[in-house]
Amino acid sequence: MTAYRSGGRQVTRRVEAASTPYRTITVEKLTPIIGAEIGGIDLARPLSSEQRDEIAHALLENLVIFFRDQDLTPEQHIAFGRLFGDLHLHPAAPHVEGLPELMIIRADRNSKRANGEDWHSDVSCDAEPPMGSILRIAECPAEGGDTLFASMSAAYDALSDRMKAYLDGLVAVHDGENVYRGAYEDFGIGDKESYPRAEHPVVRTHPVTGRKALYVNRIFTTRILGLPREEGDALLAFLLAHCESPLWQCRFRWRPHSMAFWDNRAAQHRAMWDYWPETRAGFRVTVKGERPV
Ligand code: SIN
């Protein structure tokens, strides 16, 4: 068990990771709640099924896992992603020519925006949002450009029983329109006629661990259904602020050829654009997920 304080209350949760033995990788936690650095593995080489299973296990236990010094080719990056499921194609973002699975992440002196500048779970506007994302940063500034991650399972656990009961069965709208329209002009990408929009439960159950997690985020979630508008908006504002508490966050500092693999079903993230006019660039492979329940 681990314990932490939230809003003056003591919150306890189970941490299975402490007792899990790993044989093929090392797993060094960043915090007791979220994040671990994985060592002892070269992702450019074919992985054994035991290595693949231990990585999948470390992801479930830590919600985001990090790797250092992984100088992968685009094809190796894609092959690594495919070990965890079919790959998702982004509805709006630029990709490497001829490789639609490899999304380009880049901000430099000429950028008007950077990816993921506010808290979100990737493409939650899709009817079946991605289960995980695997980002490899090839070039990064000497300082800045960190990514923050937050556990939505811990955020859910910390709610009062009354709030948990109130949220039970509520559904929210996730809309890609405001997020994606005009967002990729810097890359010469014009707008589509429409972008995905979906309704998802405010609290979702992880399909593998069975843990409940809050599933609303600042960039995609526009309203909660079934409540008077003002009440829904106030509830959403409370939940978004709660999700973003530093109590269940970790922060990752990138180096060239670092990789992060996060579980979009139970974690949110936010990328810092504090390095202008420096360049930060890499590629993301995104693994398909299922309809949240
Ligand atoms: C994203 O996938 O949202 C971007 C994350 C990052 O650039 O750190």
Side-chain angles (χ1 to χ4, degrees):
M1 301 282 273
T2 188
Y4 54 95
R5 298 198 67 77
S6 168
R9 291 182 307 119
Q10 182 95 340
V11 177
T12 52
R13 60 174 283 256
R14 275 179 41 235
V15 178
E16 295 92 336
S19 58
T20 302
Y22 290 93
R23 283 167 25 93
T24 65
I25 53 174
T26 60
V27 179
E28 194 179 328
K29 283 178 157 291
L30 269 72
T31 80
I33 311 280
I34 181 168
E37 191 162 320
I38 308 299
I41 192 153
D42 177 359
L43 302 180
R45 300 170 73 91
L47 301 191
S48 67
S49 56
E50 193 176 0
Q51 284 173 314
R52 182 248 168 246
D53 290 351
E54 290 202 341
I55 290 170
H57 197 73
L59 178 67
L60 289 175
E61 289 182 335
N62 297 289
L63 308 186
V64 56
I65 50 178
F66 307 104
F67 304 84
R68 298 287 189 190
D69 305 318
Q70 303 291 336
D71 190 1
L72 304 190
T73 64
E75 291 75 17
Q76 287 166 335
H77 189 172
I78 289 172
F80 178 63
R82 285 210 175 109
L83 293 176
F84 303 94
D86 291 337
L87 299 185
H88 171 273
L89 302 186
H90 198 280
H95 59 76
V96 173
E97 204 181 333
L99 295 174
E101 309 91 340
L102 205 59
M103 174 177 163
I104 297 173
I105 300 278
R106 182 182 176 93
D108 58 29
R109 167 182 292 280
N110 302 315
S111 301
K112 296 193 189 67
R113 60 178 290 280
N115 268 94
E117 280 183 84
D118 215 336
W119 285 101
H120 65 289
S121 173
D122 287 327
V123 204
S124 69
C125 57
D126 264 3
E128 295 183 346
M131 85 80 161
S133 303
I134 306 169
L135 175 62
R136 193 176 84 81
I137 289 292
E139 181 182 353
C140 57
E143 297 96 28
D146 295 356
T147 308
L148 283 68
F149 296 87
S151 166
M152 292 303 102
S153 322
Y156 176 79
D157 290 350
L159 294 170
S160 68
D161 289 341
R162 278 177 188 265
M163 180 56 83
K164 287 175 184 164
Y166 182 56
L167 298 182
D168 189 26
L170 285 180
V171 168
V173 176
H174 295 240
D175 198 342
E177 178 67 29
N178 295 338
V179 183
Y180 296 138
R181 188 159 298 281
Y184 296 105
E185 276 170 3
D186 286 0
F187 294 86
I189 295 184
D191 282 326
K192 291 192 172 161
E193 209 162 284
S194 65
Y195 292 99
R197 184 176 185 276
E199 294 176 7
H200 297 308
V202 169
V203 176
R204 70 180 291 184
T205 302
H206 196 287
V208 185
T209 65
R211 277 188 82 187
K212 289 186 176 180
L214 282 171
Y215 197 65
V216 288
N217 67 77
R218 197 166 287 280
I219 72 172
F220 289 109
T221 314
T222 51
R223 63 173 302 189
I224 295 178
L225 299 174
L227 297 175
R229 187 71 201 225
E230 284 184 3
E231 185 178 333
D233 287 352
L235 176 62
L236 183 57
F238 161 75
L239 290 175
L240 295 177
H242 178 79
C243 288
E244 296 162 10
S245 164
L247 278 167
W248 29 84
Q249 289 179 17
C250 71
R251 181 172 182 134
F252 184 62
R253 170 167 254 195
W254 296 90
R255 297 198 297 256
H257 309 304
S258 298
M259 283 175 73
F261 185 177
W262 58 88
D263 186 335
N264 283 303
R265 302 166 295 190
Q268 292 191 25
H269 58 285
R270 175 185 178 155
M272 298 298 296
W273 191 25
D274 51 1
Y275 50 88
W276 187 91
E278 301 297 316
T279 298
R280 178 178 180 275
F283 305 98
R284 194 181 92 192
V285 159
T286 311
V287 183
K288 278 188 180 175
E290 56 287 291
R291 178 176 281 280
V293 290

